[in-house]
Every structure is written in structure tokens, then in C-alpha cells.
Amino acid sequence: MITHSPDPTFPPDLPIRAPSAIPIDDAVEPFEVAALDLRGRLTRLGPALDELLNKHDYPAPVAKLLGEAIVLTTLLGSALKFDGRFILQTQTDGPVSLMIVDFQAPDRMRAYARFDEKRLAPGLDSAALLGKGHLAMTVDQGPDMSRYQGLVALDGGTLEDAAHEYFLRSEQIPTRVRLAVGEEWRGGEGGPKRRWRAGGMLLQFLPKAPDRAQRDLSPGDAPDGIEIDEAPEDDAWVEGQSLMATVQDVELIDPDLSGERLLYRLFHERGVRVFAPLPLRAQCSCSRDAVSGMLNSFEPQDRADMVKDGKVVVTCEFCSSVYEFTPAEAGVV
């Protein structure tokens, strides 16, 4: 379901230069480590993340978890090669019972979380906030095309764990994901202000030789006493995972460390190609016309029941925009 990293054709005289020291926020930087058959994407989020999380008065633990979901969505959704949507949704029995992140190619994103404040005990980590349920990843190619959806169980693990399980079971592509979200305090008029920052990295092993690709998983129904031949991991993939494991959360969200320098730190011995960054922005797709169309899809009696104090009021769950309609505008006879 998930498209792999970009696969451009490189000219033989591709220029080699030092990594840029200029940090780029709100962007995805695709990269390739050809010597190890690795491809990946690096996300760095600043103002756009801050805007998304500040649309609602989320408690810090909820905002952090939603930030992780946003980063994961950008790592996956930015691989779409058509004008469609990538939607990540969690439904669980934890304190944060619902999260939806909607990425509309090539760059728009919006997000929303539902939580029970009474269950937000101090010290809960991401796994505890999620609880048990499922994670759905949907690719919507448009009104005239079929939707594709992948599901993975959330069984007390993190979003990173769920992503690893999805790629292992569904895509069968060796994949590692890192997600980091943090608060940044910087001085300004009126004193220090809190800003949210996030970063993430996705790394995949995509060898050209078929004999080095991951083998199909055992179906689990082999007769008793039959040993399943489990091939060892490719040395290149072992090295790639080891390098990625050295990445610290602070490096992923450091506003003064450029993405190119971070990738150079990790892969300079093997050589890393960094492609043009893909910009990201926080922008909701709601509009008065869209809400009006949604109201017209309801039965007449349902629309009549929505009238309160002589008007129909609709609030967008994603961006908190409020739309007011007279009964006549809402189609109430």
C-alpha cells in the first residue's frame, strides 16, 4: 500500500558537496545510501506542528502523542506519487481513544485527537495513552478510484512498534522508524514561549538483487517437528539499523541541526544522497461550501434537530473553525 522512497535516475556527474548547515523546518527530506541499498525520509516539523497542536487545548502528553502520529503520517504520506490522501487513524481503549491525521498530497496536513482527561494520569507514556485497539492507514486516490487500507493491531505498544509490525506483515519490507516530539522554550516579547517541535526518520532496505530481499513470512501452519529456515538478516541492513539506532531524540528535533548534517553524521562513511526537500504545511480542507454539502446529506428531520437558538452551528474538529447557518441555509423547511 505504501509507495517506496523516490527512485530518480541520477546523472553520473552528480555533484558532491558539503552538507548544508541551514536547518529546514516543515519539510521531508528523502535520502539514499546506495552502498547499503537503503532509502529513507527525514521529517523535521516546527511552526506547522505548533499550529496543528495549538488548534486545540491539548494536555502536553496528548499533544506529544498526536505529534508522533503527525510525524509518522508525513513519513508515509509524502511518498504518494499522485494527488490523493493518506489518512492515519487510531481507535483504542486508552485515554487517547481516537487520533486522525489527514495528509493531502503533496503538502497539506491536519490532525485531531479525542481523549478522556479524567484518565490522563501523570507519567503515562505513549503506549499507555494509546492502550489496545488498531491503527488504520488509508490511501484515498480520489472519488473515482478504489481506497486501499492497511490495519495493524495496537496491543500496548507505541506507534513506532505498530509501523514496524505493519511493514513486516503487510509490505514485507525491512523498515525502521524513529519518532520524536518535544517542547521548545524560546524567549520573546512577554517572556518565554512554548513551541512544539518534532522529527522522524524512516529507513528501508530495498536491495536490487532478488536473493537479498526479505523472504515471505512463515504461514505459521507448518507440521510439528518441521523447522522453518529463517534466513539471517543481510549485513547491509544490519549496518543500517545499527547506524539508525544511534540517533537521539534531541538530534531529530534540534532546531539548530540541519537535516543534511544529521544524515551526514549517520551515513558519511558510506555516502548519502539527499534529495530536494518536500515542503509541508498545516491547512485544513474544511470550507463553508463543504460543510453546507455535508448538511445537505442529512435527512430533513436530522437537519431540523440541529437547529439551536434559531441557527445551525458546525465546528470543524480538525481546525476548530465555526460555521453558522440559518435554518433556510441548512435546508430546514
Side-chain angles (χ1 to χ4, degrees):
M1 182 187 75
I2 305 301
T3 306
H4 306 154
S5 300
D7 187 16
T9 300
F10 298 101
D13 57 345
L14 188 73
I16 298 176
R17 60 171 174 80
S20 171
I22 301 175
I24 301 175
D25 273 345
D26 301 332
V28 178
E29 294 179 271
F31 64 90
E32 178 188 44
V33 185
L36 297 176
D37 287 320
L38 302 176
R39 292 185 186 167
R41 290 183 288 279
L42 173 67
T43 288
R44 310 294 288 278
L45 294 175
L49 178 72
D50 205 49
E51 182 178 345
L52 288 172
L53 296 182
N54 286 327
K55 292 291 185 183
H56 299 269
D57 187 21
Y58 293 122
V62 178
K64 183 177 182 295
L65 179 61
L66 183 58
E68 291 177 4
I70 292 169
V71 175
L72 179 58
T73 301
T74 64
L75 290 171
L76 302 177
S78 60
L80 294 180
K81 297 183 182 296
F82 50 84
D83 289 334
R85 290 183 123 100
F86 178 86
I87 304 165
L88 183 147
Q89 180 173 334
T90 65
Q91 286 188 293
T92 61
D93 61 3
V96 181
S97 59
L98 174 72
M99 291 193 297
I100 302 176
V101 186
D102 181 2
F103 179 90
Q104 185 168 345
D107 59 1
R108 291 192 302 174
M109 51 186 181
R110 59 180 186 165
Y112 168 74
R114 182 187 302 154
F115 63 96
D116 183 350
E117 192 164 8
K118 296 179 181 179
R119 298 176 62 193
L120 295 177
L124 292 180
D125 59 14
S126 295
L129 289 171
L130 281 171
K132 295 183 178 181
H134 71 265
L135 167 68
M137 293 177 281
T138 305
V139 174
D140 185 350
Q141 302 181 74
D144 300 323
M145 302 291 288
S146 299
R147 279 191 171 199
Y148 296 91
Q149 186 175 77
L151 292 172
V152 61
L154 289 169
D155 194 19
T158 65
L159 290 177
E160 286 185 7
D161 297 331
H164 295 154
E165 184 69 12
Y166 169 78
F167 278 102
L168 175 65
R169 300 294 174 184
S170 299
E171 300 289 323
Q172 297 193 12
I173 299 172
T175 302
R176 301 304 296 174
V177 172
R178 281 294 316 280
L179 308 172
V181 180
E183 297 174 274
E184 174 192 18
W185 292 88
R186 290 212 170 184
E189 294 184 6
K193 293 184 178 180
R194 182 185 72 179
R195 295 182 177 89
W196 287 100
R197 292 192 58 80
M201 184 180 296
L202 178 146
L203 189 69
Q204 295 182 315
F205 178 54
L206 298 167
K208 297 179 177 63
D211 60 318
R212 297 177 63 207
Q214 176 173 302
R215 298 184 183 181
D216 290 343
L217 295 172
S218 166
D221 55 1
D224 292 340
I226 299 298
E227 293 186 4
I228 302 299
D229 180 22
E230 295 186 4
E233 289 188 312
D234 192 279
D235 289 344
W237 179 232
V238 171
E239 182 176 343
Q241 292 180 89
S242 298
L243 291 171
M244 188 171 178
T246 66
V247 179
Q248 303 296 313
D249 285 0
V250 67
E251 293 179 295
L252 289 171
I253 64 176
D254 187 347
D256 299 317
L257 175 63
S258 73
E260 288 193 7
R261 282 196 165 179
L262 174 55
L263 292 171
Y264 180 77
R265 281 183 185 179
L266 290 174
F267 304 113
H268 66 278
E269 291 185 356
R270 291 293 191 169
V272 57
R273 285 171 171 164
V274 181
F275 312 137
L278 310 173
L280 301 169
R281 58 193 172 114
Q283 182 176 328
C284 191
S285 58
C286 73
S287 67
R288 186 175 180 83
D289 288 343
V291 174
S292 178
M294 179 270 295
L295 289 173
N296 289 331
S297 69
F298 288 101
E299 295 295 327
Q301 185 57 50
D302 293 332
R303 292 198 296 268
D305 293 340
M306 296 178 189
V307 178
K308 304 294 182 185
D309 299 324
K311 57 187 176 182
V312 175
V313 180
V314 178
T315 302
C316 177
E317 288 188 325
F318 287 99
C319 68
S320 299
S321 295
V322 178
Y323 298 93
E324 294 187 2
F325 300 85
T326 65
E329 290 173 332
V332 178
V333 179

